[in-house]
């Protein structure tokens, strides 16, 4: 929680105060950058060398209720410049170097003697005093933002020359969600811009807003038992703290984090509390989550992209281990992993292995988040004195707003809108894929490419899985092929529905329609939705078909579709029936082809 409470002034007021205190009339782009920062948004400011980028540091400091700004610079010379300017404008500043990063200075920082702290990336990440500062809520509550001067270095230097730049993303997990990032540079071509955004996680925070909607806490009512799998310890702790902030104080101990750093005694105690209903949810890493054998979990979430389908299915398979229960599994994926346009595969999408995520908006310069967004050491002697380099100025100052849409896959239904989530059984754990180079004999229609190296094949398989619906593919088919699951001898439901659609076009004399094509009878979206519902045994009759799909031709063709489903999908076993045979047939989430 931030202690910085202030009213964002108008552009005119900003100019008047800046003129009075900084003795300069700011340009519109400088005001726009300052305003976005004061509105607690992540900001990237791109402006030519000598145009006054540092004014975008000082202007917000005039209005942010004495908040603290940490400026990360690539050289001591730039740090000294920021210290001199800040003090000249009446904003107490200090530049931390090998000589000045002393116990005395850090004690003064802790006592709020300085509002501007200039520091190298190496020092802020590894110095033990910063680690201690970030644990002090009284300090982080007054922290306004992290400003990265010469921000192109995050991309240009982060993978080699000064690798600490590439690790600045760690600050996202070390600091509270109210602390935003501001990046300033004169050298930010589109590919560098996107790389900086990705490395500093300067994308939309809509993902966390969607998590809040999925969990949907209602007063003191007990929540459905849930597990959230995350990709690191810090994120497990951060999300737990975020969820705790969404509920009354007396309910905050209902949520805990699990990771390999927890003692076995603690884990055992928390597991027992979860079984007894004293806990509502846990946020865990892969290794910790796999220790848990909980049979009544009704909601499992994979939080953010994971490169392995094996890991994904193992995580989602923790849901509904009691065969009498139904559960929902959700895969939250950052927007940059989705195709730019549904059904349109980009000519080039860099592999997840390279760490370069696909661009959704390469021309963005000031990424911001919606107003209602929910979310939210080294030795001193090692501080670098390396000179900053400049790859050349851009043609002009640029500012623009950006909101990358994040998405969720709801499994096993895998609809891409949260409001369409449907509960259904989640089966037992999958088999391990026997090969990374499947043969055409393993599937009637080859979906995944062959001849790739194992790691590349895994990345491509996940990309295809995430974008399956937009590409007209079935998630179950992808999993069946990837895991080399046994296939049903008869035609799959997906193929049968496609065959019916083609025949119906001929019967209705519509097969000559080149514009709408097969979509005029049943769109791919409706077809895939029907398959999802059918595998969950949610379409016993025509009434259910229309109620859950809103398909306009349900009255005309609904009974034919229901007949196809009943022939293709076996009747759902009741819980009292042979559980052992049901589990034996299960090789992955999909129990039937589609």
């Amino acid at each position: 929680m931030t202690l910085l409470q202030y009213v964002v002034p108008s552009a005119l007021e900003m100019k008047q105060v800046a003129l009075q205190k900084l003795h300069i009339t700011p340009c519109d782009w400088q005001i726009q950058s300052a305003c976005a920062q004061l509105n607690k948004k992540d900001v990237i400011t791109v402006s030519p060398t000598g145009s006054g980028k540092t004014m975008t540091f000082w202007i917000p400091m005039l209005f942010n209720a004495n908040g603290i700004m940490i400026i990360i610079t690539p050289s001591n010379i730039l740090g000294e410049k920021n210290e001199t300017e800040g003090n000249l404008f009446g904003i107490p500043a200090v530049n931390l170097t090998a000589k000045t990063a002393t116990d005395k200075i850090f004690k003064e920082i802790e006592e709020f003697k300085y509002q501007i702290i200039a520091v190298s990336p190496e020092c802020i990440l590894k110095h033990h005093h910063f680690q201690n500062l970030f644990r002090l809520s009284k300090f982080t509550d007054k922290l306004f933002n992290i400003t990265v001067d010469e921000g192109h270095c995050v991309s240009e230097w982060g993978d080699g020359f000064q690798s600490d730049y590439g690790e600045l993303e760690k600050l996202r997990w070390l600091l509270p969600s109210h602390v935003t990032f501001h990046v300033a540079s004169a050298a930010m071509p589109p590919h560098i811009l996107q790389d900086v955004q990705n490395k500093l996680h300067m994308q939309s925070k809509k993902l966390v807003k969607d998590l809040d909607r999925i969990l949907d806490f209602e007063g003191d009512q007990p929540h459905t038992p849930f597990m959230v799998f995350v990709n690191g310890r810090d994120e497990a702790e951060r999300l737990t703290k975020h969820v705790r902030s969404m509920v009354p104080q007396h309910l905050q101990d209902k949520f805990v984090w699990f990771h390999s750093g927890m003692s076995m005694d603690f884990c055992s105690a928390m597991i027992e509390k979860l079984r007894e209903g004293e806990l509502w949810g846990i946020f865990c890493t892969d290794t910790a989550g796999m220790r848990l054998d909980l049979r009544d979990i009704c909601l499992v979430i994979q939080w953010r992209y994971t490169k392995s389908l094996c890991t994904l299915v193992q995580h989602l398979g923790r849901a509904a281990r009691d065969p009498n229960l139904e559960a929902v599994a959700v895969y939250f994926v950052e927007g940059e992993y989705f195709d730019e346009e549904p059904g349109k595969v980009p000519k080039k999408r860099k592999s997840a292995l390279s760490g370069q995520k696909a661009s959704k908006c390469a021309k963005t310069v000031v990424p911001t988040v919606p107003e209602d967004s929910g979310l939210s050491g080294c030795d001193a002697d090692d501080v670098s004195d390396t000179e900053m380099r400049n790859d050349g100025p851009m043609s002009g100052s640029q500012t623009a707003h950006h909101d990358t849409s994040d998405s969720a896959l709801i499994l096993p239904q895998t609809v891409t809108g949260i409001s369409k989530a449907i509960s259904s059984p989640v089966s037992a754990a999958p088999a391990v894929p026997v090969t990374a180079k499947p043969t055409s004999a393993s599937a009637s229609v080859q979906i995944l490419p062959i001849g790739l190296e194992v790691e590349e094949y895994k990345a491509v398989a996940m990309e295809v899985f995430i974008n399956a619906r937009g590409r007209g593919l079935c998630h179950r088919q992808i999993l069946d092929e990837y895991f080399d699951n046994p296939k049903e001898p008869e035609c799959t439901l997906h193929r049968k529905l496609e065959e019916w659609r083609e025949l119906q076009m001929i019967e209705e004399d519509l097969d000559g329609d080149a514009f709408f094509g097969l979509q005029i009878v049943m769109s791919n979206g409706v077809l895939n939705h029907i398959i999802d519902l059918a595998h969950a045994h949610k379409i016993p009759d025509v009434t259910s078909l229309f109620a859950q799909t809103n398909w306009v031709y349900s009255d005309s063709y609904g009974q034919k579709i229901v007949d196809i489903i009943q022939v293709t999908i076996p009747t759902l076993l009741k819980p009292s029936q042979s559980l052992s045979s049901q589990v034996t047939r299960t090789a992955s989430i999909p129990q039937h082809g589609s």
Side-chain angles (χ1 to χ4, degrees):
M1 177 180 177
T2 179
L3 298 178
L4 303 178
Q5 304 297 327
Y6 52 81
V7 176
V8 180
S10 65
L12 178 59
E13 184 180 353
M14 279 192 189
K15 287 187 176 183
Q16 291 173 341
V17 175
L19 178 59
Q20 178 185 356
K21 295 189 175 183
L22 305 181
H23 313 294
I24 188 174
T25 301
C27 300
D28 289 343
W29 63 269
Q30 292 167 326
I31 293 296
Q32 186 180 4
S33 175
C35 183
Q37 293 177 62
L38 288 167
N39 277 304
K40 302 176 183 178
K41 299 179 180 181
D42 288 335
V43 180
I44 294 178
T45 304
V46 184
S47 179
T49 300
S51 62
K53 288 189 301 298
T54 54
M55 283 296 111
T56 63
F57 306 171
W58 314 130
I59 296 174
M61 300 301 293
L62 303 178
F63 306 97
N64 71 357
N66 296 319
I68 298 170
M69 176 184 292
I70 297 178
I71 303 177
I72 298 174
T73 68
S75 73
N76 284 340
I77 293 177
L78 285 176
E80 290 172 3
K81 178 176 179 291
N82 290 326
E83 179 184 42
T84 300
E85 285 190 12
N87 288 322
L88 179 64
F89 294 138
I91 305 171
V94 63
N95 177 38
L96 296 180
T97 67
K99 294 181 179 180
T100 62
T102 62
D103 292 346
K104 178 178 180 295
I105 291 293
F106 275 102
K107 184 65 176 177
E108 292 174 347
I109 291 174
E110 186 179 333
E111 294 172 350
F112 309 120
K113 181 176 179 178
Y114 306 104
Q115 285 183 260
I116 297 292
I117 304 169
V119 66
S120 72
E122 184 180 19
C123 185
I124 194 173
L125 289 173
K126 298 176 182 177
H127 201 290
H128 68 280
H129 277 304
F130 269 110
Q131 294 175 8
N132 294 333
L133 279 175
F134 293 157
R135 295 190 185 102
L136 295 176
S137 59
K138 70 173 186 177
F139 177 80
T140 57
D141 286 348
K142 294 204 67 175
L143 190 53
F144 173 63
N145 78 10
I146 303 293
T147 290
V148 183
D149 196 5
E150 304 301 340
H152 60 278
C153 295
V154 172
S155 177
E156 295 284 271
W157 294 0
D159 294 327
F161 176 62
Q162 216 176 57
S163 59
D164 292 301
Y165 266 105
E167 297 182 10
L168 288 177
E169 65 172 337
K170 293 180 179 178
L171 296 176
R172 283 288 190 190
W173 322 128
L174 293 172
L175 297 171
S177 58
H178 74 266
V179 181
T180 56
F181 275 61
H182 173 214
V183 176
S185 177
M188 199 73 77
H191 68 285
I192 298 295
L193 173 67
Q194 186 64 42
D195 192 33
V196 171
Q197 286 180 265
N198 290 336
K199 287 181 175 177
L200 297 182
H201 300 279
M202 298 181 73
Q203 305 292 354
S204 167
K205 297 176 183 176
K206 179 179 179 290
L207 208 61
V208 175
K209 195 69 174 178
D210 286 342
L211 176 64
D212 294 344
R213 288 202 294 161
I214 284 284
L215 296 179
D216 190 25
F217 300 111
E218 296 181 1
D220 293 354
Q221 294 299 315
H223 194 279
T224 300
F226 68 86
M227 294 177 68
V228 179
F229 283 90
V230 300
N231 297 329
R233 293 185 184 186
D234 292 336
E235 193 152 37
E237 297 181 15
R238 184 175 63 87
L239 282 182
T240 304
K241 292 175 181 177
H242 167 71
V243 169
R244 287 175 177 174
S245 71
M246 304 296 292
V247 299
Q249 187 172 2
H250 69 281
L251 297 178
Q252 292 179 2
D253 60 355
K254 299 291 185 182
F255 312 98
V256 297
W257 61 76
F258 274 72
H259 51 61
S260 56
M262 320 299 290
S263 70
M264 288 303 299
D265 289 342
F266 173 84
C267 291
S268 298
M270 293 303 106
I271 291 171
E272 189 60 32
K273 284 189 175 184
L274 192 60
R275 287 182 177 141
E276 296 297 324
E278 296 180 39
L279 292 182
W280 294 356
I282 58 176
F283 296 81
C284 52
T285 57
D286 180 63
T287 53
M290 291 298 103
R291 297 189 217 165
L292 307 179
D293 184 18
L294 303 168
R295 300 181 62 79
D296 61 347
I297 299 297
C298 294
L299 172 64
V300 171
I301 296 172
Q302 169 61 44
W303 178 254
R304 298 190 182 277
Y305 175 87
T306 180
K307 66 180 181 180
S308 169
L309 278 174
C310 290
T311 299
L312 175 65
V313 176
Q314 285 282 357
H315 288 178
L316 301 187
R318 311 308 291 182
R321 297 175 74 82
D322 183 340
N324 296 300
L325 296 178
E326 290 188 344
V328 172
V330 184
Y331 183 16
F332 276 103
V333 186
E334 298 93 326
E336 58 263 31
Y337 288 103
F338 285 80
D339 292 340
E340 295 179 5
E341 297 179 24
K344 181 179 179 181
V345 184
K347 292 181 179 180
K348 281 190 176 182
R349 181 191 295 276
K350 293 186 178 180
S351 169
L353 291 170
S354 67
Q356 302 294 318
K357 303 172 187 177
S359 169
K360 287 184 72 68
C361 185
K363 296 181 180 179
T364 303
V365 236
V366 181
T368 64
V369 295
E371 293 289 344
D372 61 350
S373 178
L375 204 78
S376 68
C378 77
D379 294 328
D381 293 337
D382 293 332
V383 179
S384 173
D385 190 27
T386 306
E387 286 293 325
M388 175 274 298
R389 66 176 177 182
N390 194 321
D391 290 337
M394 298 186 69
S395 58
S397 305
Q398 302 182 41
T399 53
H401 291 279
H402 171 59
D403 179 17
T404 299
S405 296
D406 295 307
S407 300
L409 299 177
I410 313 295
L411 301 174
Q413 286 69 33
T414 53
V415 294
T416 53
I418 290 176
S419 61
K420 297 180 181 178
I422 306 163
S423 300
S424 76
V426 178
S427 69
V432 176
V434 297
T435 177
K437 300 176 183 180
T439 63
S440 58
S442 66
S444 57
V445 177
Q446 189 73 36
I447 299 174
L448 302 176
I450 60 176
L452 302 177
E453 295 296 328
V454 173
E455 292 300 319
E456 187 178 3
Y457 177 72
K458 288 167 60 178
V460 170
M462 181 60 78
E463 177 194 315
V464 173
F465 181 81
I466 290 171
N467 292 285
R469 186 164 298 277
R471 300 181 188 182
L473 301 173
C474 172
H475 289 98
R476 287 183 176 82
Q477 284 181 306
I478 297 168
L479 291 177
D480 278 339
E481 183 176 319
Y482 185 79
F483 289 102
D484 197 27
N485 288 339
K487 306 300 182 294
E488 299 291 340
E490 70 270 15
C491 292
T492 64
L493 178 57
H494 191 282
R495 183 168 296 280
K496 282 192 172 185
L497 289 177
E498 285 187 332
E499 290 174 351
W500 170 84
R501 191 167 61 170
E502 292 171 0
L503 290 174
Q504 201 61 47
M505 290 284 289
I506 296 173
E507 290 180 13
E508 301 286 348
D509 197 25
L510 297 171
D511 53 318
D513 191 322
F515 184 77
F516 289 104
L518 297 174
Q519 305 266 356
I520 197 171
V521 173
M522 177 186 287
S523 70
N524 290 334
V526 170
L527 186 147
N528 287 327
H529 197 188
I530 288 174
I531 291 170
D532 291 334
L533 292 166
H535 279 278
H537 302 277
K538 298 293 185 180
I539 309 182
D541 49 44
V542 176
T543 301
S544 300
L545 173 66
F546 177 74
Q548 301 208 60
T549 66
N550 289 323
W551 183 36
V552 294
Y553 295 122
S554 295
D555 288 340
S556 302
Y557 308 126
Q559 191 56 51
K560 292 182 180 180
I561 301 303
V562 172
D563 292 343
I564 292 173
I565 293 171
Q566 291 177 346
V567 169
T568 308
I569 305 294
T571 304
L572 180 65
L573 285 175
K574 295 181 180 179
S576 60
Q577 292 181 273
S578 175
L579 174 61
S580 60
S581 62
Q582 184 181 12
V583 174
T584 300
R585 289 188 300 105
T586 302
S588 182
I589 282 185
Q591 295 190 18
H592 316 282
S594 54

